[in-house]
Amino acid sequence: MSPSKLRQVVKRVAAEHEATIEHCELCGDAIPPDHRHMLDLRSRELMCACRACKILFDSGAAGGGHYRLVPDRRLRLVDFHMDDVAWEELRIPVDMAFFFHHTEARRVVAYYPSPAGPTESLLELDAWADLARANPVLDELEADVEALLVNRSRGARQYFLVPIEDCYALVGMIRTRWRGLTGGREVWEEIEAFFEGLAGRSKEVATEREEATWHA
């Protein structure tokens, strides 16, 4: 192979390699596959962040009210206090949803995954207040970037405190994999695998419990 041909091959391989490398969406530096994310509070979009930008935005004031670093803690909430009545009072039309404090809306909001993408449910705030009193761990949710993720589908009773990016990943998977009216076998296998993987990455914690007002 001639030197000029070799240079062309090297250049092409380098270009292909560069195309596979992810870059920080704040400063443009290359980042590894395992990296943190920032949340744009205005668009609600996630942005890949390098280590330097992660450190810069690790302070709540650093984002100037525009960006916020997404935490990386994942908690599996054992003995979470929610019975069927409490779930019904939240008025979520399906058996899977996530809840987070929306700073701009100044309230807790509820979304559930659907074939059309994330769908907001009109949350009964009194019912949420009762749930929070029964489970003080919910007071620890970091606004905008952490969520309570609930899976009660097909008899499951799983409750997690997760980064908002995990909820986005679940929504994206369901939106792109759902088939027909019931979703199809494959998407339900992927949903099960998603929650199995999440449980494996999460720290198991017992929740402090208080009597909720709906049981008074």
Side-chain angles (χ1 to χ4, degrees):
M1 181 180 295
S2 66
S4 60
K5 184 66 174 179
L6 179 59
R7 284 195 294 270
Q8 291 177 10
V9 172
V10 171
K11 185 177 181 179
R12 177 177 57 81
V13 171
E16 291 175 351
H17 177 68
E18 178 68 17
T20 64
I21 296 176
E22 292 188 81
H23 293 81
C24 176
E25 295 179 75
L26 295 166
C27 71
D29 282 355
I31 53 178
D34 183 16
H35 56 264
R36 298 284 294 278
H37 292 94
M38 305 293 301
L39 180 71
D40 185 324
L41 298 179
R42 298 173 185 172
S43 67
R44 305 298 306 177
E45 293 183 356
L46 291 172
M47 305 175 67
C48 298
C50 67
R51 185 174 181 274
C53 288
K54 166 199 163 304
I55 294 173
L56 176 64
F57 286 96
D58 205 11
S59 167
H66 190 175
Y67 302 108
R68 187 165 295 167
L69 179 67
V70 178
D72 59 356
R73 69 168 175 168
R74 293 170 174 86
L75 305 180
R76 182 182 179 189
L77 306 179
V78 181
D79 294 331
F80 191 79
H81 195 122
M82 175 186 279
D83 58 19
D84 293 342
V85 174
W87 179 250
E88 290 175 4
E89 289 187 353
L90 291 171
R91 297 188 180 180
I92 307 297
V94 297
D95 291 326
M96 197 181 303
F98 58 96
F99 309 79
F100 64 92
H101 294 274
H102 195 301
T103 299
E104 185 174 342
R106 298 183 180 181
R107 61 184 176 89
V108 176
V109 295
Y111 283 84
Y112 58 91
S114 75
T119 303
E120 185 173 5
S121 178
L122 185 59
L123 180 63
E124 287 291 328
L125 295 181
D126 288 344
W128 173 264
D130 288 341
L131 187 67
R133 279 193 291 270
N135 301 278
V137 68
L138 297 180
D139 293 332
E140 299 177 11
L141 284 175
E142 187 174 339
D144 298 302
V145 290
E146 286 189 316
L148 169 68
L149 176 59
V150 176
N151 176 30
R152 293 170 60 89
S153 62
R154 299 191 170 191
R157 295 294 184 268
Q158 295 176 300
Y159 310 93
F160 298 91
L161 190 158
V162 298
I164 196 69
E165 62 191 50
D166 288 1
C167 304
Y168 286 10
L170 176 62
V171 168
M173 184 260 290
I174 291 177
R175 183 179 63 82
T176 56
R177 301 288 193 271
W178 194 273
R179 299 292 182 270
L181 294 176
T182 61
R185 178 178 56 85
E186 291 185 2
V187 73
W188 284 104
E189 289 177 349
E190 291 193 40
I191 290 172
E192 183 178 352
F194 173 89
F195 281 103
E196 285 181 356
L198 179 58
R201 300 195 309 276
S202 301
K203 178 182 178 181
E204 190 173 287
V205 297
T207 58
E208 298 180 15
R209 300 172 60 174
E210 300 176 5
E211 286 299 315
T213 57
W214 59 75
H215 292 305

